[in-house]
Amino acid sequence: MNYWIGIWLFFSIATNGFTQKTIRDESLVPPYKLPELLTTNSGKTINAGRDWEKTRRAELLKLFSENVYGKTPDKKIPLRFVVTRVDSSALGGKAIRKEITVFFGKNSGRSMEMLLYFPRSVKGPVPLFLGLNFAGNQVVHADPGISITKRWVRDGKAPAVVDHHATEASRGSQAGDWAVEDILARGFGLATIFCGDLQPDRADSFDESVHTLYYKKGQTKPEPDEWGAIGAWAWGLSRAMDYLETDTNVNARQVAVIGHSRLGKAALWAGAQDARFAMVVSNNSGEGGAALTRRKFGETIAIITNAFPHWFCGNYKNFANRENDLPIDFHGLIALIAPRPVYVASASEDWWADPKGEYLSAYHASPVYALYDYQGLTSPEPPGPDQPIGADKIGYHMRKGGHTMTRFDWAQYLNFAEKAFEKP
Ligand code: GTR
């Protein structure tokens, strides 16, 4: 063999990157063995909820922190909540709309804007969905009373987004993802925040993010085991929860955290870390979210850490093409939510996010729910399109169609939440 071809082949095989094609065909999924959820690092078997919470849960949280999302600082930052706008007859009289600024620390210059809707017809505290949005609060509804974000926006074309800044034309531009009227009609509230308030979705944005609140002297970016953008977004969801606990319109024991795609990854990580979230919904969250990474179907660790290095901690990219060396897989992320209700949703054409891998994470998390006598998912085969399953604590559906969040998705989340929260 020619010397240079030999060298090339060696490196190709060693890195497995040049030769590995993106997998889109189930028959090409390599065999894999998932790390055990119910065996502790020291080899003990967990068979009770109490032991799960005392030992294994903490171990898994640590493994996800150090290897995937990075450690979230736990020091409390003083918060200040300022109500900036209230309309008690918004959306043609159907809603109460509130806007709140949450200031982080004293004079840090960091803050986030929350938009809240409550159904006007319901008296008393309501259950609520909380989720980050991609491009400013004004995209969730055409309501002219929503303040337009002034911050940097990653995607979007003119006229809605000009030079990475949102305009009037962006109002309601992602309303299809939010089903605000349906949520209110079912007696739920909705709270949302632009993810860019916490960290702009760019690789060089750490200095413009909440990371700076925790920088050590001279620090300019996170250490390899410190939080990335998903960590910052999840942190923001917990700070939103801090606010929600003070709002008398909200039943803070019935707050579901939800997110689509990269923000679905953030919702899962927020729900895993913060048990105040009574329910967690992952919509098409894919690699680094609900999908089992060992399947290598669609997006992989190598692809995602190359395209979006800032989302994860630096350590995650060390597992590119070495998925089997990762001490956890993403069924562990779903299990960290147990025994609280969790809903995972896929879309039939969203192969990039690996619908089957998303299903299997929820399926393989089921033994942890069983510790609490809850039935999870019982079949290793996902259901067909548009057939929601899971009457107990784990819900799943694969909607017909592509990578987005729709009224159909919301209808399932509302059904599931109604049952989970035992709403009359
Ligand atoms: C894609 C990315 C996915 C997913 C998606 C999204 O480009 O590969 O992991 O997060 O973006 O957020 O819409």
Side-chain angles (χ1 to χ4, degrees):
M1 193 189 315
N2 175 304
Y3 175 78
W4 289 111
I5 294 184
I7 297 272
W8 175 80
L9 208 63
F10 172 78
F11 278 107
S12 299
I13 291 163
T15 61
N16 194 21
F18 297 104
T19 47
Q20 193 185 52
K21 277 226 187 90
T22 300
I23 298 178
R24 234 193 125 144
D25 174 347
E26 193 58 35
S27 68
L28 299 177
V29 171
Y32 59 89
K33 190 175 170 318
L34 292 178
E36 294 290 340
L37 294 182
L38 295 179
T39 309
T40 65
N41 292 346
S42 63
K44 281 207 198 91
T45 304
I46 299 284
N47 37 37
R50 213 170 359 113
D51 296 339
W52 165 260
E53 275 156 49
K54 235 178 44 204
T55 51
R56 186 58 177 152
R57 190 176 186 283
E59 287 180 1
L60 279 177
L61 257 183
K62 192 160 182 278
L63 290 170
F64 273 100
S65 295
E66 288 171 357
N67 297 294
V68 182
Y69 305 110
K71 292 186 216 152
T72 307
D74 49 18
K75 197 183 105 203
K76 282 215 165 51
I77 295 274
L79 304 178
R80 192 158 55 89
F81 309 127
V82 178
V83 182
T84 53
R85 237 179 189 190
V86 180
D87 182 347
S88 47
S89 186
L91 306 183
K94 277 187 257 162
I96 300 168
R97 182 196 342 100
K98 267 195 207 177
E99 291 186 331
I100 314 283
T101 304
V102 180
F103 290 96
F104 303 133
K106 294 195 185 95
N107 309 319
S108 72
R110 299 275 175 252
S111 60
M112 67 179 184
E113 310 293 324
M114 286 179 79
L115 165 69
L116 298 109
Y117 281 115
F118 300 108
R120 215 177 132 205
S121 58
V122 185
K123 294 263 168 302
V126 291
L128 176 137
F129 282 89
L130 164 69
L132 297 168
N133 64 71
F134 283 79
N137 296 340
Q138 79 287 347
V139 302
V140 309
H141 198 284
D143 179 354
I146 305 175
S147 303
I148 296 181
T149 185
K150 295 187 180 66
R151 297 199 209 255
W152 186 91
V153 171
R154 180 185 173 103
D155 299 314
K157 290 197 193 98
V161 178
V162 176
D163 283 341
H164 292 286
H165 283 85
T167 71
E168 279 288 329
S170 68
R171 290 191 181 283
S173 56
Q174 290 170 20
D177 282 17
W178 290 93
V180 174
E181 270 85 359
D182 295 352
I183 297 167
L184 295 172
R186 300 278 290 263
F188 285 76
L190 173 69
T192 187
I193 303 144
F194 174 35
C195 66
D197 285 8
L198 297 150
Q199 178 164 349
D201 193 2
R202 269 196 342 260
D204 64 352
S205 64
F206 287 106
D207 280 352
E208 297 163 44
S209 80
V210 294
H211 284 79
T212 60
L213 298 167
Y214 294 96
Y215 273 171
K216 292 175 220 98
K217 207 163 179 281
Q219 190 172 6
T220 55
K221 61 176 177 22
E223 300 293 334
D225 65 347
E226 289 181 336
W227 55 341
I230 292 173
W233 296 334
W235 180 89
L237 289 165
S238 284
R239 301 297 68 78
M241 189 67 201
D242 294 341
Y243 166 74
L244 293 172
E245 287 184 317
T246 70
D247 189 320
T248 52
N249 283 121
V250 181
N251 181 346
R253 290 163 172 250
Q254 297 188 340
V255 173
V257 64
I258 184 167
H260 168 61
S261 206
R262 69 198 69 181
L263 302 179
K265 307 180 210 297
L268 285 167
W269 184 225
Q273 295 176 96
D274 190 338
R276 291 175 299 170
F277 292 116
M279 171 176 155
V280 183
V281 182
S282 151
N283 190 88
N284 306 179
S285 62
E287 163 63 32
L292 289 179
T293 196
R294 277 169 173 71
R295 282 171 46 82
K296 305 184 190 186
F297 193 104
E299 192 170 29
T300 59
I301 298 178
I303 296 170
I304 205 168
T305 53
N306 185 42
F308 305 103
H310 58 294
W311 286 358
F312 301 92
C313 70
N315 285 341
Y316 194 44
K317 66 174 178 317
N318 300 337
F319 297 95
N321 305 307
R322 285 182 48 224
E323 285 81 356
N324 290 320
D325 294 337
L326 190 65
I328 34 91
D329 209 313
F330 287 79
H331 61 321
L333 185 60
I334 308 295
L336 281 170
I337 296 160
R340 292 164 290 149
V342 60
Y343 200 110
V344 174
S346 310
S348 62
E349 291 160 20
D350 189 20
W351 66 274
W352 187 244
D354 185 14
K356 185 165 183 184
E358 293 178 320
Y359 174 81
L360 286 174
S361 267
Y363 168 72
H364 287 296
S366 299
V368 177
Y369 281 80
L371 295 176
Y372 297 86
D373 287 334
Y374 293 133
Q375 193 187 38
L377 300 175
T378 50
S379 165
E381 280 307 314
D386 292 351
Q387 290 169 32
I389 57 163
D392 204 3
K393 298 283 173 183
I394 307 184
Y396 177 86
H397 71 256
M398 183 175 59
R399 172 181 41 77
K400 241 186 234 131
H403 185 70
T404 184
M405 189 149 70
T406 69
R407 285 184 81 179
F408 174 89
D409 295 319
W410 274 104
Q412 313 320 315
Y413 305 150
L414 287 160
N415 291 343
F416 190 73
E418 260 181 18
K419 264 203 217 118
F421 297 157
E422 289 170 347
K423 251 184 94 241

